[in-house]
Amino acid sequence: MAIDPIHAFYCRQDYLQLAQACKIASGGVCARCGGIFDINELRPHHKTELTLDNIDDVTITLNPDNIEVLCHSCHNAVHARFGNVNGQKHVYVVHGSPCAGKTTYVRNVATRNDIVVDLDRIHAAICTCEQYDKPDATKRVAFGIRDYMLEEIRTATPRRKWQDAYIIGTYPSRFDRDDMVQRYGAELIHIDTPKDECIKRAYESVTRAAARDAVIGWIEAYWQRYSE
């Protein structure tokens, strides 16, 4: 399943740069409630909603005057995501190569009322190791936490207070992705960053040689297994 144009827009580098610039320019102040927050807690919001009819209009999508910076609570209120009338929940499987930008994408679209299942972040939370260092001693616990969260998503009812769910993973096999769609009623979002760019990001972001070699190995393995 191809990523839809609106989700694809939120992955674009020009938008990510503009969103960050708008958050910095806000000085940490929410445009709605006036509260002061760390800029990482703020979310850019298009005043004119993005649709399939206007997604190619840069005067709407990339116009800083059309973007207001909001805190989580105000962003939720604008989108009527928390406590909405029908309580409908959405599940998104965000997949792609290591270093493709999956976590960055989710950070830009998820709200504080959403669940994010990210095995890398789970592992980092339960041990003192650096990013990409995943000791065998803690893997069982990390996978157990992930599986608990997935079961929470699978059995969720509208009365659960969390709103949407984002499941982050590589999922190079089409069979595995189709299984996620069937099991969780999920929508697939493919962060389709090219292999060379993923490897470039690994060299730029991973300083320790051993960890960098491991990440590049994961990237190579992903592209060997990937099927559309």
Side-chain angles (χ1 to χ4, degrees):
M1 182 184 298
I3 186 172
D4 72 75
I6 295 176
H7 278 117
F9 170 79
Y10 287 117
C11 300
R12 284 171 39 176
Q13 194 64 29
D14 51 0
Y15 168 72
L16 293 175
Q17 291 173 347
L18 175 61
Q20 184 66 13
C22 288
K23 290 196 290 185
I24 293 172
S26 74
V29 178
C30 173
R32 295 290 179 105
C33 70
I36 300 176
F37 302 85
D38 185 285
I39 63 170
N40 292 323
E41 299 178 295
L42 297 171
R43 291 290 180 267
H45 169 72
H46 284 89
K47 300 174 188 176
T48 299
E49 182 181 2
L50 301 190
T51 67
L52 294 178
D53 292 328
N54 65 26
I55 194 63
D56 294 320
D57 185 348
V58 295
T59 65
I60 294 176
T61 59
L62 295 176
N63 181 359
D65 292 333
N66 188 41
I67 295 177
E68 58 182 344
V69 177
L70 306 177
C71 67
H72 286 297
S73 295
C74 289
H75 193 223
N76 289 336
V78 168
H79 286 283
R81 303 183 94 178
F82 183 58
N84 57 13
V85 174
N86 59 21
Q88 182 180 5
K89 299 181 187 299
H90 301 276
V91 179
Y92 303 99
V93 173
V94 182
H95 65 99
S97 169
C99 294
K102 301 182 294 296
T103 299
T104 299
Y105 167 77
V106 171
R107 284 175 178 167
N108 276 281
V109 298
T111 76
R112 70 192 300 264
N113 296 309
D114 297 336
I115 285 182
V116 179
V117 182
D118 184 342
L119 188 59
D120 286 344
R121 291 182 64 192
I122 292 172
H123 218 133
I126 63 172
C127 66
T128 61
C129 299
E130 297 179 5
Q131 187 179 20
Y132 304 120
D133 184 2
K134 303 173 183 178
D136 289 339
T138 55
K139 283 183 178 179
R140 183 185 64 81
V141 178
F143 279 101
I145 295 170
R146 183 203 61 179
D147 292 345
Y148 173 85
M149 296 178 71
L150 291 176
E151 184 65 9
E152 164 71 17
I153 292 168
R154 189 185 68 81
T155 60
T157 66
R159 297 186 65 181
R160 301 280 175 88
K161 289 188 176 182
W162 59 267
Q163 183 54 52
D164 295 337
Y166 292 84
I167 303 171
I168 299 175
T170 54
Y171 301 109
S173 165
R174 181 175 180 177
F175 175 85
D176 290 340
R177 296 194 300 272
D178 288 345
D179 181 65
M180 297 294 287
V181 171
Q182 293 297 320
R183 185 172 304 196
Y184 302 102
E187 175 182 338
L188 297 176
I189 299 176
H190 185 202
I191 310 300
D192 56 349
T193 307
K195 174 183 174 181
D196 289 347
E197 176 62 22
C198 294
I199 292 175
K200 177 185 175 184
R201 292 178 182 178
Y203 274 106
E204 292 173 346
S205 62
V206 186
T207 56
R208 293 190 305 112
R212 183 172 61 245
D213 290 344
V215 173
I216 292 173
W218 299 336
I219 294 171
E220 294 284 359
Y222 169 86
W223 286 102
Q224 288 174 7
R225 295 183 55 205
Y226 176 68
S227 58
E228 294 188 2

